Amino acid sequence: MAAASRNLISHLRILLSSTVSETQFRTFSACSSQVEELRTRIIEGKPAIMTPNSKRTGAIAVKCGMTALWDKWGERVPITILWLDDNIVSQVKTPEKEGISALQIGCAHKKEKHLTKPEVGHFRAQGVPMKRKLKEFPVTEDALLPVGTSISVNHFVPGQYVDVAGITRGKGFQGGMKRWGFSGMPASHGASLSHRSIGSTGQRDAPGKVFKGRKMPGRMGGVQRTVKNVWVYKIDPARNLMWVKGQVPGAEGNFVFIKDSVYKKPDISTLPFPTYFTPENEDQADLEPLVADLGDTDPFMAAD
């Protein structure tokens, strides 16, 4: 009796183990097929509907310089001109392959002989022209674009706010007054040869040292900074130029990175998503510049 029960239990264990292994195999096969479908998915470049949680790609521009314009009400507007020099998508990063959702944007042309072999191999593997500057912008999955998609100045809308990042002008080694805005020492009495000195830098025997992070003379500039909430005054699609109000980091000829503002978010109904796709019958050279809507009320008359 005991032998018969042991044989029955062993047969039940074999049957259960085979059933579990078959179920696990089916589950693994289903997961593998789903992963393979995600890896081989095709990213299409077509207009879509932007949601409040969507995040578009940015663009790379060349700082051309500053000027001033007068709007239709006669108010003087300080302007920085930015040139989007042939921006294209040079690489797509997906969560299935790289673990993140991002787009790599390339700007301006560069000869192959001026690039390193790894850079040349990267561009050839992606099948895109050689680019001078690359920048990766994190995006949401609904904002992914295929490799080779052009990012024109129509990606941004006049009147919206953007964040502009760039490398500030390097000013070399500077003193405390210029670097940190210190007031300095007295200009006449009691300050012998120390008019621009920063003054005391610590205490006495306790602690007997200068704490780290103390504002002192040192190297100034040459670091990346972001100017937030920059207003887009005008765009020129024919020349890929953008006029923004105020200053942006960097010297003339430097690259700057433009993206939608984080704090003053633009109206999603007015933005092209995931970017602006040029119609087949549209000629960029014939397009007129677009200026931000300044309203119908004269600000000078309203102030009176």
Side-chain angles (χ1 to χ4, degrees):
M1 186 70 180
S5 62
R6 284 197 297 268
N7 291 334
L8 179 62
I9 292 173
S10 63
H11 284 299
L12 287 175
R13 285 178 179 177
I14 294 172
L15 180 62
L16 289 175
S17 63
S18 62
T19 305
V20 171
S21 61
E22 184 178 357
T23 305
Q24 291 177 350
F25 177 75
R26 290 177 180 176
T27 306
F28 177 76
S29 301
C31 293
S32 300
S33 60
Q34 292 177 359
V35 171
E36 188 64 25
E37 290 178 359
L38 291 174
R39 286 182 178 273
T40 58
R41 68 172 178 175
I42 300 175
I43 300 175
E44 298 181 358
K46 59 181 181 180
I49 299 176
M50 187 174 182
T51 64
N53 296 326
S54 298
K55 186 176 182 180
R56 305 192 307 161
T57 181
I60 308 174
V62 179
K63 182 178 178 179
C64 299
M66 292 196 68
T67 183
L69 299 176
W70 281 260
D71 60 15
K72 66 176 184 179
W73 303 117
E75 182 179 1
R76 184 178 184 273
V77 183
I79 293 295
T80 300
I81 302 177
L82 305 175
W83 176 33
L84 276 69
D85 184 12
D86 193 18
N87 280 224
I88 65 170
V89 178
S90 58
Q91 186 182 3
V92 180
K93 296 188 177 182
T94 57
E96 298 81 31
K97 188 175 181 181
E98 288 85 7
I100 59 173
S101 179
L103 292 176
Q104 185 189 82
I105 306 298
C107 174
H109 295 283
K110 195 171 185 179
K111 294 182 179 180
E112 181 179 340
K113 65 179 182 180
H114 295 152
L115 294 170
T116 62
K117 288 185 178 180
E119 291 173 340
V120 173
H122 171 71
F123 290 123
R124 287 180 177 174
Q126 299 297 328
V128 296
M130 309 294 171
K131 290 298 178 180
R132 186 176 186 85
K133 189 69 175 180
L134 297 176
K135 174 66 175 178
E136 183 179 298
F137 293 95
V139 298
T140 52
E141 290 194 46
D142 56 350
L144 290 174
L145 293 167
V147 174
T149 304
S150 177
I151 307 294
S152 65
V153 74
N154 286 315
H155 184 74
F156 302 99
V157 178
Q160 78 165 104
Y161 290 90
V162 295
D163 294 340
V164 183
I167 305 298
T168 59
R169 290 173 180 264
K171 300 181 181 298
F173 194 97
Q174 298 296 332
M177 293 182 68
K178 181 179 179 67
R179 192 183 185 199
W180 302 108
F182 289 172
S183 60
M185 304 294 284
S188 58
H189 299 288
S192 176
L193 303 179
S194 61
H195 306 288
R196 300 182 63 85
S197 173
I198 63 173
S200 175
T201 58
Q203 296 77 41
R204 301 177 68 181
D205 287 344
K209 64 178 181 180
V210 177
F211 289 107
K212 292 182 179 181
R214 172 67 180 171
K215 294 180 179 180
M216 300 179 74
R219 195 166 191 173
M220 182 179 178
V223 294
Q224 180 165 315
R225 290 291 180 265
T226 301
V227 177
K228 301 175 182 178
N229 305 329
V230 181
W231 186 56
V232 179
Y233 175 73
K234 183 173 70 171
I235 63 172
D236 187 357
R239 296 183 292 173
N240 254 354
L241 295 177
M242 178 191 296
W243 283 258
V244 297
K245 182 178 180 180
Q247 76 283 358
V248 300
E252 296 180 7
N254 284 13
F255 289 101
V256 295
F257 311 120
I258 314 170
K259 63 179 183 179
D260 295 333
S261 178
V262 175
Y263 294 105
K264 292 188 176 182
K265 297 184 181 297
D267 185 6
I268 61 176
S269 62
T270 61
L271 297 179
F273 185 79
T275 187
Y276 179 81
F277 297 99
T278 305
E280 295 181 358
N281 57 352
E282 182 180 272
D283 188 3
Q284 292 282 346
D286 298 335
L287 297 179
E288 296 293 332
L290 303 176
V291 184
D293 184 15
L294 302 176
D296 299 327
T297 304
D298 189 345
F300 298 102
M301 298 298 293
D304 296 340

